[in-house]
Amino acid sequence: MKKFIIILAAMLTTACAGGPGAMGGGEDKFTAAYVNAHIVVGKTTQEEVKALYGVPDKSSQSSSSRTSWNYKKHGALYAIADLVSAAPGSVPGVVSADSALNSAKNASEGSGKLTKVMDKSSGNTAVKGDNLSIDFDKNNKVTNWFLY
């Protein structure tokens, strides 16, 4: 049980400290300004994207050797919460961890909604999204990207 709590705490710390969809601190990697500054169509490679955003939440490949990677802003937090919510009853103490993770998810969603309202009221019209899709050609270079 103690080992599970330590692993869970480490995963939460990682999810909250940085990387894709990091909560709090740092620059928002899900804005058009950030993506434009860090991803150059025809030049940026898959490895460079992975260094910026980590392992994609979803990856797919077409028959024409084109690859698409998708990232969710809160991907790590939601993945951990889903993992823990599947365990209640099977591991003592997980019910309280599940409750804490759901509270964190709700706070994160509420914070995102509040930020959007504040941005609109202050005139900030920067393009932002909760999801980023990046397409690559057969040479593993970016062909385009979309925020939504």
Side-chain angles (χ1 to χ4, degrees):
M1 174 62 187
K2 187 176 181 180
K3 187 175 181 179
F4 176 78
I5 298 292
I6 291 170
I7 291 170
L8 178 62
M11 290 169 59
L12 282 173
T13 301
T14 303
C16 295
M23 295 185 316
E27 195 171 357
D28 186 351
K29 294 182 179 184
F30 287 80
T31 65
Y34 184 91
V35 178
N36 276 324
H38 293 85
I39 297 179
V40 178
V41 172
K43 182 178 177 197
T44 305
T45 65
Q46 284 183 347
E47 288 304 313
E48 292 168 323
V49 170
K50 200 178 283 186
L52 286 170
Y53 290 95
V55 176
D57 294 309
K58 183 179 176 186
S59 178
S60 60
Q61 190 166 358
S62 70
S63 58
S64 60
S65 299
R66 294 189 183 267
T67 304
S68 289
W69 285 0
N70 295 294
Y71 292 94
K72 295 179 181 178
K73 189 170 190 175
H74 304 288
L77 174 63
Y78 282 59
I80 293 167
D82 290 344
L83 176 68
V84 171
S85 66
S90 60
V91 179
V94 173
V95 173
S96 60
D98 181 42
S99 176
L101 281 168
N102 282 326
S103 294
K105 278 174 51 177
N106 292 337
S108 176
E109 289 170 358
S111 174
K113 289 176 184 174
L114 178 60
T115 299
K116 286 179 183 178
V117 169
M118 290 173 60
D119 284 346
K120 285 183 181 180
S121 66
S122 68
N124 182 355
T125 57
V127 177
K128 298 178 184 181
D130 292 330
N131 298 286
L132 173 64
S133 178
I134 305 170
D135 298 328
F136 301 91
D137 62 18
K138 63 183 178 182
N139 297 316
N140 297 328
K141 293 193 178 178
V142 173
T143 57
N144 56 45
W145 56 267
F146 307 95
L147 274 171
Y148 56 97

